[in-house]
Amino acid sequence: MPGEFELIARYFTRPTQRADVALGVGDDCALLEVPAGMQLAVSLDSLVAGVHFPRDTPPADIAAKAVAVNLSDLAAMGAEPAWMTLGLTLPAFDAEWLEDFARGLHEALDTFGVALVGGDTTHGPLTLSLQAHGFVPADQALRRSAARAGDLVYISGYPGEAGQGLALALGQAAAQGPGADKLLARLNRPTPRVDLGLALRGLAHAAIDVSDGLCQDLGHVLAASGLGAVLDVERLPLSAELLAEAGEARARELALSAGDDYELLFTAPPETAPALAALADRLDLPLTCIGRIRAEPGLELRLAGADYSLASAGYQHF
Amino acid sequence: MPGEFELIARYFTRPTQRADVALGVGDDCALLEVPAGMQLAVSLDSLVAGVHFPRDTPPADIAAKAVAVNLSDLAAMGAEPAWMTLGLTLPAFDAEWLEDFARGLHEALDTFGVALVGGDTTHGPLTLSLQAHGFVPADQALRRSAARAGDLVYISGYPGEAGQGLALALGQAAAQGPGADKLLARLNRPTPRVDLGLALRGLAHAAIDVSDGLCQDLGHVLAASGLGAVLDVERLPLSAELLAEAGEARARELALSAGDDYELLFTAPPETAPALAALADRLDLPLTCIGRIRAEPGLELRLAGADYSLASAGYQHF
């Protein structure tokens, strides 16, 4: 049975093309170079089998989603991804599992030009801890606290799709048509909005990625900014697939409260609307205005001129 | 029951005095500033309950040891510690446990002036994933691959003490006298050799911290450097406490093969001996020459003019 060091060497050590990696996997530390004028953006995500993903999830999917979730945090900050480290706790040595996991990991990293620069492989219950490192010019980061009264609230893509995907995966919902596969893919292989995050530098004020639910994550922005918001529920971009699978009422609920979409929620002043429209066109990604920031605290949801109440508040990891 | 965000806020969010932390815990990413001319040194360690520490270890000890283990990697690179992130997976919400853990964590971080800049708290089997970030001037890092033929091999402190501490903790050995407590403390509260690592810049060639056993860790240096070494077993610094608890033969075995000491093993050219003696005096830490690097591959152990064979090769995490 191979030791930890052989495991690491076999599955996770690869040469990198990045010139800013002076030393990668294999020493006590990685040695890295942050470009002049850039702040280092760092984010950590832990994923536990049976909590964040079903134990029988294909290993390549686990790896790809972990990378996406982690890079999504950089995107929400407007940071350019550069490096990642991986803490991997495994219940047993399983060459087939590791090969598939490593393939999914490297494919996901390669998609975004990210180098795996270090890690630790240990024995125990299946757990991943990924840490993404990226760069953002000083004072251009998209902080949660930077929303301003009068900003418009935007969401990228189609929120709620991953939520219905989860219901399908858990057997809580039955597939109604061919759109179900797309919703499952949105759950298992989310796309971190890295290009969008970079393009929002200088356009958006505040940003956050929707991991726990649109309303809950917007709540973090409002709390950090000391502001409130009103959302127009009828403006939520509900995809045809989500509507077909979940129906309109459930689709709205999922769009507002389900997690795992990893779309970007951001606030921007009204005068950026033309630039955002051009950006949506360039990225081929809907950027939909769903409300506005106001000084009055609290989050108000409006549908057809009346108050709208949310059945569930969003996902709590604990 | 409080949510993840309240947990994090309550136990892990504290203001930092470090001016290089532009944004700490509480946003999608931390924003950090690496000083000009410095490379960023990054190291990750995962610790699993029941594998790396007994499940009933006092939480403050778990935290303090995790910090020490992680900073030890920076020390072995000659890097100055700056920031840390923590991925914490907990089986349940236990306020008493968390308070004690947070106390041990913050005490350990404060000792070394390190800021906790981010993390993720999740639900699952007790696992810690810590990542230390530090600085080292470009080209001054103490790489494993930098040993040269003719270098002398040094070890700091008294190797083997934590190994006997582990035997005591596991009930595999009975305490023989008052020294047993010191050996247990060496296991539970190791001291990362941060000051030594910094002082070895420009003096030592290669360095590694002894986490898996002196011979095994020296083996990593030899493999990375493409060289061999001969060690004089009689020159091993065996503490009075270790000798009293384990006897000479077992003490030698532990010093060569037991892990968890987190002393620094380093190689340096013979002409640095006076500077190293002065350094040992300044740090009040023994730096003992135990052998030399040679071009001929392999690790030869010598005792009283004869070959010495090691019963066990070192700790394997897998």
Side-chain angles (χ1 to χ4, degrees):
Chain A
M1 185 157 150
E4 174 189 4
F5 309 105
E6 287 172 70
L7 282 182
I8 293 170
R10 196 184 305 168
Y11 296 106
F12 300 116
T13 309
R14 290 196 318 169
T16 176
Q17 305 300 316
R18 292 192 67 98
D20 52 18
V21 179
L23 188 63
V25 174
D27 210 306
D28 297 299
C29 298
L31 294 174
L32 308 165
E33 287 173 358
V34 176
M38 290 286 194
Q39 288 181 330
L40 178 72
V42 176
S43 184
L44 182 147
D45 286 291
S46 297
L47 291 96
V48 182
V51 177
H52 298 92
F53 55 87
R55 286 177 203 284
D56 58 355
T57 306
D61 281 350
I62 296 173
K65 180 159 181 177
V67 169
V69 166
N70 206 208
L71 293 183
S72 180
D73 286 319
L74 292 186
M77 213 75 192
E80 177 194 344
W83 315 306
M84 202 168 275
T85 60
L86 168 66
L88 181 61
T89 302
L90 294 171
F93 176 73
D94 179 336
E96 201 178 334
W97 193 98
L98 270 167
E99 269 164 36
D100 193 48
F101 180 88
R103 184 178 55 77
L105 180 76
H106 291 305
E107 279 177 9
L109 294 174
D110 289 348
T111 300
F112 297 96
V114 172
L116 185 71
V117 295
D120 193 13
T121 310
T122 54
H123 186 215
L126 181 57
T127 309
L128 283 72
S129 187
L130 271 93
Q131 180 148 312
H133 299 77
F135 315 135
V136 60
D139 303 321
Q140 287 194 30
L142 305 172
R143 300 179 181 216
R144 295 182 183 181
S145 59
R148 296 181 208 167
D151 276 358
L152 300 180
V153 178
Y154 290 84
I155 183 76
S156 67
Y158 297 105
E161 291 192 332
Q164 183 66 15
L166 182 62
L168 290 163
L170 296 177
Q172 295 166 351
Q176 305 296 313
D181 284 346
K182 183 194 162 201
L183 305 188
L184 277 167
R186 287 271 287 161
L187 174 73
N188 293 327
R189 293 285 185 128
T191 303
R193 301 302 184 190
V194 171
D195 289 341
L196 175 60
L198 293 176
L200 289 178
R201 291 178 185 167
L203 285 177
H205 285 153
I208 191 169
D209 62 324
V210 178
S211 56
D212 296 329
L214 194 158
C215 286
Q216 185 169 326
D217 288 318
L218 176 56
H220 295 312
V221 170
L222 299 180
S225 299
L227 296 167
V230 56
L231 292 192
D232 303 315
V233 175
E234 62 261 43
R235 299 170 78 178
L236 283 171
L238 304 176
S239 72
E241 291 87 346
L242 178 58
L243 287 167
E245 291 294 320
E248 189 176 37
R250 181 75 186 140
R252 280 186 183 132
E253 191 74 13
L254 289 167
L256 290 169
S257 64
D260 273 331
D261 280 312
Y262 299 97
E263 295 295 346
L264 291 192
L265 178 79
F266 59 96
T267 82
E271 62 269 24
T272 60
L276 291 173
L279 179 60
D281 192 54
R282 176 166 74 79
L283 298 178
D284 193 20
L285 177 69
L287 302 177
T288 308
C289 175
I290 56 172
R292 64 180 192 285
I293 301 291
R294 62 186 185 187
E296 185 189 339
L299 174 57
E300 184 185 338
L301 304 178
R302 304 283 297 168
L303 180 64
D307 280 344
Y308 176 89
S309 287
L310 202 56
S312 62
Y315 183 69
Q316 284 274 342
H317 288 292
F318 236 85
Chain B
M1 185 157 148
E4 175 189 4
F5 310 105
E6 288 172 69
L7 281 183
I8 291 170
R10 195 184 306 168
Y11 295 106
F12 300 116
T13 309
R14 289 195 319 168
T16 176
Q17 305 301 315
R18 292 192 67 99
D20 52 19
V21 179
L23 188 64
V25 174
D27 210 306
D28 296 301
C29 298
L31 294 176
L32 308 165
E33 287 173 357
V34 176
M38 290 285 192
Q39 288 182 330
L40 178 71
V42 176
S43 184
L44 181 147
D45 286 291
S46 297
L47 291 96
V48 181
V51 178
H52 298 93
F53 55 88
R55 285 176 204 283
D56 59 354
T57 305
D61 281 349
I62 296 172
K65 181 160 181 176
V67 169
V69 166
N70 207 208
L71 293 183
S72 179
D73 285 319
L74 292 186
M77 214 74 192
E80 176 192 345
W83 315 306
M84 202 170 273
T85 59
L86 168 65
L88 180 61
T89 303
L90 294 171
F93 176 73
D94 178 338
E96 200 179 336
W97 193 97
L98 270 167
E99 270 165 35
D100 193 49
F101 180 87
R103 184 177 55 77
L105 181 76
H106 291 305
E107 280 177 9
L109 294 175
D110 289 349
T111 301
F112 297 97
V114 172
L116 186 71
V117 295
D120 194 13
T121 310
T122 53
H123 185 214
L126 180 57
T127 309
L128 284 73
S129 187
L130 272 93
Q131 180 147 313
H133 299 77
F135 314 135
V136 60
D139 302 323
Q140 287 195 30
L142 306 171
R143 301 181 181 214
R144 295 182 183 181
S145 59
R148 295 180 207 168
D151 276 358
L152 301 181
V153 177
Y154 290 83
I155 183 76
S156 67
Y158 296 107
E161 290 193 331
Q164 182 67 14
L166 182 62
L168 290 163
L170 295 177
Q172 295 168 350
Q176 305 295 312
D181 285 346
K182 184 194 161 202
L183 304 189
L184 277 166
R186 288 270 288 162
L187 174 73
N188 293 326
R189 292 286 186 128
T191 303
R193 300 302 184 190
V194 172
D195 289 341
L196 175 60
L198 293 176
L200 288 178
R201 290 178 185 167
L203 285 177
H205 285 152
I208 192 169
D209 63 324
V210 178
S211 56
D212 296 328
L214 195 157
C215 286
Q216 185 169 326
D217 288 318
L218 176 56
H220 295 312
V221 170
L222 299 180
S225 300
L227 295 167
V230 56
L231 291 191
D232 301 315
V233 175
E234 62 262 42
R235 298 170 78 178
L236 283 170
L238 304 176
S239 73
E241 292 87 346
L242 178 58
L243 287 167
E245 291 294 320
E248 188 176 36
R250 180 74 186 142
R252 278 184 185 135
E253 191 74 13
L254 289 168
L256 289 169
S257 65
D260 272 332
D261 280 311
Y262 299 98
E263 295 295 346
L264 292 191
L265 178 78
F266 59 95
T267 81
E271 60 270 25
T272 60
L276 291 173
L279 178 60
D281 192 54
R282 175 167 76 78
L283 298 178
D284 193 20
L285 177 69
L287 301 177
T288 308
C289 175
I290 56 172
R292 65 181 191 283
I293 301 291
R294 62 185 186 187
E296 186 191 337
L299 174 57
E300 184 184 340
L301 304 177
R302 304 284 297 170
L303 179 65
D307 280 345
Y308 176 89
S309 288
L310 202 56
S312 61
Y315 183 70
Q316 285 274 340
H317 288 290
F318 237 86

